Amino acid sequence: MIAATRVDESSLHYRGWRVVLACFLMAFFMFGFGLYGQGVYLAELQRAHGWPGTLVSAASTFSFLLTAVLVIFTDDLLARIGLRSLILCGLSALGASTVLLALLQTPWQLYLAYALMSVGWTGMGTVVIATVLNSWFERRRGLALSLAYNGATCGGIVLVPLLLTLSGSIGFRSAMLAATLAMMVLVLPVVVIFTGWPTEMPPTPGGDSFDGGTAVPAVHSRKTLLANAAFWTMVLPIAIALLAQMGFIIHQVTFLEPLIGRASAGLAVTIMAAMAVVGRLSLGLFVDRLDPRLACAASMTSQAAALFVLLQTTNPTVLLACCAVYGFSIGNMITFPPLIIQREIGASAFAAAMGLGTSISGIVSAFGPGIVGLVRSVTGDYTSAFAMCVVLDLVATAVVLWRPGRRTKLAAS
């Protein structure tokens, strides 16, 4: 970690803020193409090739599960090939994926494209972003993470409508190629020029630079993490909350449309996404002075309260307000883990903890839409399904507030 006493993190001249810009752009395109854009691919590939929705959806599930496996090894890759090389590999893989999506003709090419997208997630996703920013910031870490992760939401707000507009005017193939070219032009020079470890960053406990050829044995670190109760009280509540969150987000329009109409349901999604940006920025201004576990619990409780009120009313204004309150905490569910991990696990095992925790959360949350859909099918409406989400949020709140033992810094070996 950098020594906070030697640098002024609040200065705009501090190099760390240029790293934040690089991370913002990485999140913008990674989430824009790799998450929010998948709805565009589903529609366009069905239209272009006549493939069933289940084929494309299965490819998405395959990609998410493969990503959840690959991110476990982020710390190994950082140690072996270095930060900048890993990011450039991720950028190249994402670019190859989007080009292949534009040009593909057969289903196997679709699965290859989605596998490449998983490699992109490994090199440009939340684990790498959190790890590099964790090394550059101490006093302003929460703000730096919030600003960088806002790129993810902005990617959904900007890139998806842009792809849809371009697809309607110049075709899906040309739209994907143009967007890929824009990504390379914007991200490649920024990554090459700005990203890297701080020069003040100390060696790892194993005695070697974290960006060097040797490092602490990551496998041992992961075994240590899995045996640590505090680690599970960080990972499980986030995984449970994200399961409920993914379930609500995917089914939000289907729930709201009969109550307030298609246009208002679309407005609710827009409001929720906009509030996610506001929530991240607001949290970033204060979270470095807060206990991240308490702030995380408050966010989960607010989501539970918003869903509870949502189930009690059909008033359009109140429903939109509930979506706004819910959205305020959406983005912060990926901001809290690195803050908690840094405080309680420490720098030596940070990348291993982030990779393992992100993998567990990704696998668990992937079942959210299916579970909510199943409960809705069995009961005939969303009341029981969203009530289940309320209970899950409250359970997650209780778990994240449980602190087994005193603060523990895991040794890396």
Side-chain angles (χ1 to χ4, degrees), residues 231-252:
F231 172 74
W232 285 106
T233 65
M234 304 172 211
V235 172
L236 282 183
I238 296 296
I240 294 170
L242 286 176
L243 184 149
Q245 185 170 286
M246 289 293 289
F248 173 70
I249 290 172
I250 298 301
H251 291 271
Q252 179 186 14

Side-chain angles (χ1 to χ4, degrees), residues 8-336:
D8 180 9
E9 295 179 15
S10 62
S11 172
L12 293 178
H13 298 289
Y14 178 49
R15 187 187 164 196
W17 295 113
R18 285 171 276 176
V19 179
V20 170
L21 172 61
C23 291
F24 177 94
L25 290 174
M26 287 160 51
F28 180 93
F29 285 103
M30 190 65 252
F31 279 79
F33 279 129
L35 179 61
Y36 300 109
Q38 295 208 22
V40 179
Y41 313 150
L42 175 63
E44 293 295 335
L45 294 176
Q46 283 184 281
R47 183 179 299 112
H49 302 285
W51 293 340
T54 51
L55 174 68
V56 184
S57 298
S60 295
T61 300
F62 161 74
S63 177
F64 290 140
L65 292 177
L66 180 59
T67 299
V69 173
L70 292 179
V71 295
I72 297 175
F73 305 101
T74 302
D75 54 324
D76 301 274
L77 293 170
L78 286 170
R80 288 180 179 275
I81 68 175
L83 172 66
R84 188 176 290 115
S85 296
L86 178 59
I87 295 175
L88 291 176
C89 285
L91 178 62
S92 300
L94 179 59
S97 172
T98 53
V99 169
L100 187 55
L101 283 169
L103 303 177
L104 59 79
Q105 297 295 326
T106 59
W108 73 264
Q109 293 173 328
L110 171 66
Y111 280 79
L112 175 59
Y114 274 58
L116 289 168
M117 195 174 290
S118 296
V119 178
W121 278 111
T122 307
M124 294 173 59
T126 56
V127 178
V128 167
I129 290 173
T131 301
V132 66
L133 292 182
N134 178 66
S135 71
W136 279 98
F137 291 90
E138 184 168 335
R139 291 196 303 266
R140 309 295 289 179
R141 184 179 295 126
L143 178 60
L145 285 168
S146 296
L147 291 173
Y149 284 159
N150 259 335
T153 306
C154 292
I157 294 174
V158 176
L159 191 57
V160 172
L162 180 62
L163 286 176
L164 289 171
T165 301
L166 290 176
S167 296
S169 58
I170 63 176
F172 176 68
R173 173 177 295 187
S174 297
M176 289 294 290
L177 294 176
T180 301
L181 178 61
M183 175 180 70
M184 292 299 178
V185 170
L186 290 172
V187 179
L188 184 59
V190 172
V191 167
V192 171
I193 296 171
F194 292 157
T195 59
W197 302 116
T199 55
E200 300 90 345
M201 190 171 181
T204 63
D208 298 291
S209 170
F210 189 61
D211 207 23
T214 58
V216 297
V219 173
H220 182 75
S221 295
R222 287 191 286 269
K223 289 180 180 178
T224 305
L225 288 165
L226 290 172
N228 185 267
F231 172 74
W232 285 106
T233 65
M234 304 172 211
V235 172
L236 282 183
I238 296 296
I240 294 170
L242 286 176
L243 184 149
Q245 185 170 286
M246 289 293 289
F248 173 70
I249 290 172
I250 298 301
H251 291 271
Q252 179 186 14
V253 173
T254 307
F255 169 75
L256 291 175
E257 187 175 352
L259 299 175
I260 59 178
R262 178 179 292 270
S264 295
L267 176 61
V269 175
T270 302
I271 291 174
M272 187 173 68
M275 287 300 294
V277 175
V278 174
R280 271 209 190 98
L281 291 175
S282 301
L283 178 75
L285 294 174
F286 301 104
V287 72
D288 293 306
R289 287 171 278 176
L290 302 175
D291 182 330
R293 281 189 182 257
L294 290 177
C296 185
S299 293
M300 293 172 177
T301 303
S302 72
Q303 288 192 333
L307 278 182
F308 179 79
V309 175
L310 193 82
L311 292 173
Q312 311 303 314
T313 183
T314 58
N315 183 283
T317 302
V318 177
L319 290 172
L320 291 176
C322 289
C323 291
V325 173
Y326 194 91
F328 190 81
S329 298
I330 281 180
N332 293 330
M333 285 301 112
I334 64 172
T335 303
F336 288 123

